[in-house]
Amino acid sequence: MKWAKKDLLAISDLSSEELLILLDTTASFKEIISRAIKKVPSLRGKTVVNLFVEPSTRTRCSFELAAQRLSADVISIEKSVSSFTKGETLKDTALNLQALNADFIILRHKSPGAALFLAERLQASVINAGDGPHEHPTQALLDVFTAREKLGDLKGKHFIILGDILFSRVARSNIWALLKLGARVTLVGPTTLLPEVFREVGVDVCHNLDEVLPEADAINLLRIQQERQQATLFPSLGEYTKLFGLNMERFKRCKPDVLIMHPGPINRGVEISSELADCENSVILDQVTNGLAVRMAVMFLLSGGQLPKIKEDARKGTSK
Amino acid sequence: MSENVILDEHGLRRCLNRIAHEIIEQNPGDIPIGFIGLHTRGVPIAKRLRDLVSKFDPQRTVHEVGELDITFHRDDIQEELVLPKGTEIPFNIEDQIVVLVDDVLYTGRTVRAALNAMIDLGRTKAIRLAILVDRGHRELPIRADYVGKNIPTAHNERILVQLEEIDGKDNVLLERTEL
């Protein structure tokens, strides 16, 4: 099969076959990053631009290192030191980067659809590194890759996604990825952070963590994103922790080999107790390692295969 | 399109026997040898050569066969994307004699990529190249140390190696397409 996509914008866009190709390719890169020389020349001569208009440490570093391991040249731009502060638009910034012959633009942006907006206008491959609460595809890929490493085939496996679902792009991307791989998904959180409307995509919704914990093969915790909440959507962090925090008492009621996952950064003592974050069932650091292999696989696949079909006016940068 | 059988089962076996003897004769017996096959058909050929060398020279240390994926070192990724099959080398290549094995040697670009991949894996004592069929048309200055059969070909001809492990039978065919 040829890889036909120019961009990676959302897991919901991918077929199950494409998802599996991404995961299989990731396995090959995982072998490479375990070697003494962790570099291959696949993207030699290519330029990768990390355009992070919203703060990020691990995703930006992971993409940067992944591009370097593929032998690409990498530029990282953050909002605070870019012309965004002078009022330049996203489109103009990206067109300027394209004029410098960037081959990949990796975009983190607060607005849902920002990556799609660029992908439709640029010849460069655009990778969505998180667009507001919409999607974070590479995070979902590394999550399901890690889960497959530990649990094998995910078909029929029961995943709990716990916490701030409403504001979470990770939750959305994970839901799509897990459903495409045949897993069962239960979303758990307070009613204010977990609208019933999520049932429509084929997942279960539950507001009582203790009810579903014993059935779970994996628990994917989400960070409480206080920065995205306009108003407080639960009375206090203390109450959230009491009702939805994963602690040793709750852990004892789980399957003994349950996987504990978290996309980071962790609020220790809020959504998870410190001892569980560091326990044997926790694969949080494996997720970080696998993230590097996933991002190498994504850039490798997007760099090959069919040439992108771009409207002629987009090549000239005149499309709206 | 027409087809000619260049090597049948017996011919193929004779070629591999001869290569195995050449490997034994030309490499010092006190240095371990490791065979590494290039995906796809290089791998079963490497396994056969390994078994033959162990059989003909039981005193020699011969490692388990490795598999090398050169996908990430290819120079034609923009034209056609090949999905990786994975590299697995069950021995430390440092200071060993490594015999790279492939079915057909043509332009030399695959071997170039394989050498680059090997160099990333560590420093061997020596790298040798064993090929079942050399069909000519080199685009790089590369030649094999051990060749089963030289078959000078035209550009409109193709060598098709069939192996029991993959195709259910042993055969080397020359396919000719009309220009």
Side-chain angles (χ1 to χ4, degrees), chain A:
Chain A
M1 180 200 165
K2 278 195 171 183
W3 184 267
K5 285 196 160 56
K6 173 178 88 77
D7 312 290
L8 179 67
L9 305 176
I11 296 291
S12 56
D13 293 346
L14 299 176
S15 66
S16 299
E17 192 184 9
E18 286 170 329
L19 191 56
L20 289 172
I21 287 175
L22 272 161
L23 296 175
D24 289 344
T25 309
T26 299
S28 292
F29 280 109
K30 180 127 194 215
E31 184 269 319
I32 283 171
I33 62 174
S34 66
R35 294 179 187 171
I37 297 174
K38 302 170 176 63
K39 207 159 176 161
V40 289
S42 301
L43 292 193
R44 194 169 53 197
K46 304 273 183 193
T47 305
V48 175
V49 177
N50 270 328
L51 185 54
F52 277 64
V53 191
E54 203 184 44
S56 161
T57 307
R58 76 197 64 217
T59 305
R60 184 176 57 76
C61 290
S62 182
F63 268 113
E64 200 170 306
L65 199 53
Q68 287 171 351
R69 296 269 163 91
L70 291 167
S71 306
D73 298 311
V74 192
I75 307 168
S76 287
I77 301 166
E78 290 181 60
K79 184 180 180 183
S80 57
V81 292
S82 74
S83 291
F84 284 112
T85 55
K86 300 174 187 170
E88 187 172 65
T89 63
L90 174 63
K91 181 183 161 188
D92 281 335
T93 302
L95 287 174
N96 276 286
L97 294 171
Q98 180 159 278
L100 292 169
N101 290 326
D103 298 287
F104 286 90
I105 294 184
I106 295 155
L107 181 69
R108 160 70 62 96
H109 201 280
K110 66 180 179 186
S111 302
L116 173 66
F117 175 87
L118 285 192
E120 288 178 341
R121 287 159 178 80
L122 299 180
Q123 200 171 355
S125 289
V126 176
I127 299 173
N128 181 7
D131 55 342
H134 173 227
E135 280 228 33
H136 192 350
T138 53
Q139 179 67 45
L141 288 168
L142 74 89
D143 287 344
V144 292
F145 181 84
T146 308
R148 269 164 52 109
E149 271 191 329
K150 308 289 178 187
L151 301 174
D153 187 359
L154 298 188
K155 203 166 189 174
K157 295 286 190 305
H158 187 192
F159 280 72
I160 289 177
I161 302 178
L162 171 63
D164 183 353
I165 312 287
L166 183 63
F167 293 99
S168 176
R169 53 193 171 216
V170 175
R172 281 162 183 77
S173 288
N174 265 281
I175 290 167
W176 293 120
L178 290 167
L179 292 180
K180 281 173 200 281
L181 294 173
R184 185 182 149 206
V185 181
T186 302
L187 307 179
V188 182
T191 49
T192 47
L193 291 175
L194 176 50
E196 291 287 320
V197 71
F198 274 95
R199 287 186 197 275
E200 289 173 17
V201 298
V203 298
D204 294 323
V205 168
C206 177
H207 304 295
N208 184 343
L209 177 60
D210 295 310
E211 212 172 78
V212 289
L213 260 186
E215 302 167 23
D217 294 299
I219 307 165
N220 199 353
L221 296 136
L222 302 171
R223 184 173 62 89
I224 294 299
Q225 302 183 64
Q226 295 176 70
E227 74 275 17
R228 284 191 203 282
Q229 297 181 24
Q230 302 293 314
T232 309
L233 290 168
F234 44 83
S236 71
L237 283 179
E239 184 179 302
Y240 178 87
T241 303
K242 190 174 175 194
L243 292 173
F244 297 102
L246 196 61
N247 53 32
M248 192 48 88
E249 193 188 326
R250 287 199 163 103
F251 179 69
K252 284 176 186 163
R253 295 202 293 275
C254 294
K255 290 183 182 175
D257 53 353
V258 68
L259 284 191
I260 297 175
M261 309 177 76
H262 195 304
I266 308 171
N267 291 321
R268 284 177 187 263
V270 179
E271 63 260 6
I272 184 168
S273 69
S274 205
E275 56 188 339
L276 285 187
D278 303 326
C279 77
E280 277 189 5
N281 296 54
S282 164
V283 292
I284 295 170
L285 293 176
D286 298 274
Q287 290 174 266
V288 178
T289 304
N290 290 336
L292 187 56
V294 158
R295 286 165 182 130
M296 289 173 80
V298 168
M299 284 189 270
F300 171 77
L301 287 172
L302 295 184
S303 71
Q306 294 175 357
L307 290 172
K309 290 177 185 136
I310 303 285
K311 292 177 195 165
E312 196 51 37
D313 58 353
R315 289 181 196 279
K316 294 171 190 161
T318 54
S319 68
K320 289 178 183 167

